């Protein structure tokens, strides 16, 4: 699998992307016209640190429209149809174009072999490979017999590899990365987003730093399946709320001992 960033390159990212987002943020709080804000930012009259500080604050406050002004285009190759089905579930702020199984005749269709099968029971691996090879052979026979590709493809396994072009604005990319870099995500799409993050880092470490599992900006994990805390990146929400409730109860009890209003046993009303 590969994920190559087609656009922007480092020069465009450095020269225009941060100034563009800065302009979107700054316009909200400035009497200046946006073109003047952009001119100053692009001319180096605003320090990169000041631009980054404002952008980080605005994004951290959830004002996401400011980062919809910049897009990233990736060439994604050799991923399985299992992955692409998950990927194209994202709708907002993202565009896809995918290799057609109607118009492309797959002579030697490439497939994905998951590590758990590759490194698992050799007999099961052999059966898996036979099954996949058999499906691809039947596809070839069907096409040779005149069955249109759009029908012959019904025999393709989920393991079949595919290629896509994906363009996402930064807000969408952060959202997608939040879900897909999470350890709850399936390994293949998680790997893809690790590659995507690496590519964005390559042109802008600052913008790339926003691509993280969703628990990182949230500060806690909200995944139901991690209530046991087996993923240690951030504490689970239940744990955080439990600690908060315990702390609040302790503070209330301590207040009651000191006879403060609001402590247990007190009405909490002012005299
Ligand atoms: C770990 C994991 C497991 C999953 N398991 C399953 C599964 O078992 N079955 C399954 O079907 N799917 C599954 N999904 C897919 C998931 O339900 C979403 O469809 C997918 O992640 C796309 O995310 P999104 O809905 O946030 O869409 P995006 O298109 O990325 O949308 C971004 C955000 O925009 C807003 N938005 C977008 N469209 C609308 C709209 N029409 N109305 C209102 N707000 C909107 C929402 O706030 C949304 O979060 C899974 C995803 C993950 C990450």
């Amino acid at each position: 699998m590969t994920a190559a960033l087609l656009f922007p390159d480092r020069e465009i990212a450095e020269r225009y992307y941060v100034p563009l987002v800065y302009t979107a943020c700054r316009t909200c709080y400035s009497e200046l016209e946006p073109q003047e804000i952009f001119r100053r930012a692009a001319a180096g009259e605003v320090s990169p640190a000041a631009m980054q500080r404002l952008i980080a604050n605005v994004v951290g406050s959830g004002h996401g429209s400011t980062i919809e002004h910049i897009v990233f285009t990736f060439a994604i190759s050799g991923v399985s149809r299992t992955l692409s089905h998950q990927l194209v579930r994202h709708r907002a702020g993202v565009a896809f174009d995918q290799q057609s199984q109607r118009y492309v005749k797959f002579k030697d269709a490439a497939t994905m072999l998951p590590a758990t099968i590759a490194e698992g029971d050799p007999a099961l691996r052999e059966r898996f490979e036979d099954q996949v090879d058999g499906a691809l052979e039947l596809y070839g026979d069907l096409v040779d017999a005149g069955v249109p590709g759009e029908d012959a493809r019904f025999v393709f396994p989920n393991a079949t590899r595919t290629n896509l072009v994906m363009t996402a604005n930064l807000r969408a990319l952060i959202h997608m990365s939040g879900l897909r870099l999470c350890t709850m995500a399936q390994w293949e799409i998680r790997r893809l987003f690790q590659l995507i993050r690496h590519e964005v880092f390559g042109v802008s470490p600052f913008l790339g730093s926003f691509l993280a599992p969703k628990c990182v900006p949230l500060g806690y994990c909200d995944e139901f399946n991690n209530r046991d805390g087996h993923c240690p990146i951030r504490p689970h929400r239940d744990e955080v709320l439990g600690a908060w409730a315990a702390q609040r109860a302790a503070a209330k009890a301590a207040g009651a001992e000191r006879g403060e209003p609001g402590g247990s046993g007190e009405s909490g009303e002012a005299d």
Side-chain angles (χ1 to χ4, degrees):
M1 161 202 321
T2 57
L5 183 60
L6 299 180
F7 183 89
D9 61 17
R10 182 181 265 273
E11 195 200 336
I12 291 171
E14 281 177 357
R15 194 159 167 203
Y16 298 109
Y17 269 27
V18 172
L20 258 177
V21 177
Y22 171 79
T23 301
C25 298
R26 198 79 195 88
T27 295
C28 305
Y29 312 110
S30 177
E31 288 179 355
L32 294 174
E33 292 182 340
Q35 57 269 43
E36 175 57 13
I37 299 172
F38 182 72
R39 189 202 62 73
R40 292 181 187 189
E45 293 172 22
V46 186
S47 77
M51 286 197 270
Q52 291 182 7
R53 205 166 38 246
L54 178 66
I55 293 169
N57 286 342
V58 170
V59 173
S61 303
H63 303 172
S65 56
T66 54
I67 48 172
E68 290 175 17
H69 299 284
I70 57 172
V71 297
F72 295 84
T73 299
F74 300 90
I76 298 169
S77 306
V79 296
S80 75
R81 276 258 165 180
T82 305
L83 182 149
S84 71
H85 185 77
Q86 297 173 76
L87 188 62
V88 301
R89 292 293 302 280
H90 293 283
R91 304 149 289 168
V94 59
F96 301 101
D97 284 286
Q98 181 167 14
Q99 183 182 46
S100 169
Q101 286 185 339
R102 295 184 69 202
Y103 302 122
V104 178
K105 290 274 186 304
F106 293 87
K107 281 276 172 234
D108 295 300
T111 54
M112 176 73 76
L113 177 64
T116 49
I117 298 172
E119 294 156 16
D121 181 342
L124 284 174
R125 174 184 171 150
E126 197 178 325
R127 281 176 61 195
F128 177 91
E129 288 178 329
D130 286 350
Q131 185 93 11
V132 169
D133 291 347
L136 299 184
E137 197 181 324
L138 175 55
Y139 167 84
D141 291 347
L142 289 166
V143 170
D144 289 347
V147 174
E150 67 177 22
D151 291 341
R153 66 174 165 166
F154 275 60
V155 79
F156 277 149
N158 273 336
T160 311
R161 292 190 193 243
T162 185
N163 305 326
L164 307 94
V165 172
M166 176 180 89
T167 298
N169 68 47
L170 182 58
R171 184 182 198 174
L173 202 56
I174 291 172
H175 173 75
M176 293 162 80
S177 300
L179 292 172
R180 305 303 183 177
L181 288 171
C182 169
T183 57
M184 300 296 137
Q186 184 246 359
W187 64 268
E188 190 189 4
I189 197 162
R190 194 163 171 236
R191 177 72 191 131
L192 173 67
F193 276 86
Q194 288 165 349
L195 296 174
I196 284 173
R197 179 174 56 182
H198 182 264
E199 287 291 292
V200 176
F201 255 95
V203 298
S204 172
F206 171 65
L207 297 175
S209 71
F210 289 106
L211 307 187
K214 61 184 168 157
C215 65
V216 172
L218 266 180
Y220 60 83
C221 169
D222 63 356
E223 279 290 334
F224 183 79
N225 288 335
N226 190 38
R227 282 167 305 148
D228 60 1
H230 68 270
C231 173
I233 299 177
R234 289 292 182 275
H236 193 269
R237 178 176 49 202
D238 293 354
E239 204 182 314
V240 174
L241 289 179
W244 173 73
Q247 196 188 30
R248 201 176 59 154
K252 213 172 168 189
E257 263 177 37
R258 291 195 296 271
E260 286 170 4
S264 322
E266 293 283 334
S267 71
E269 283 176 347
D271 287 340

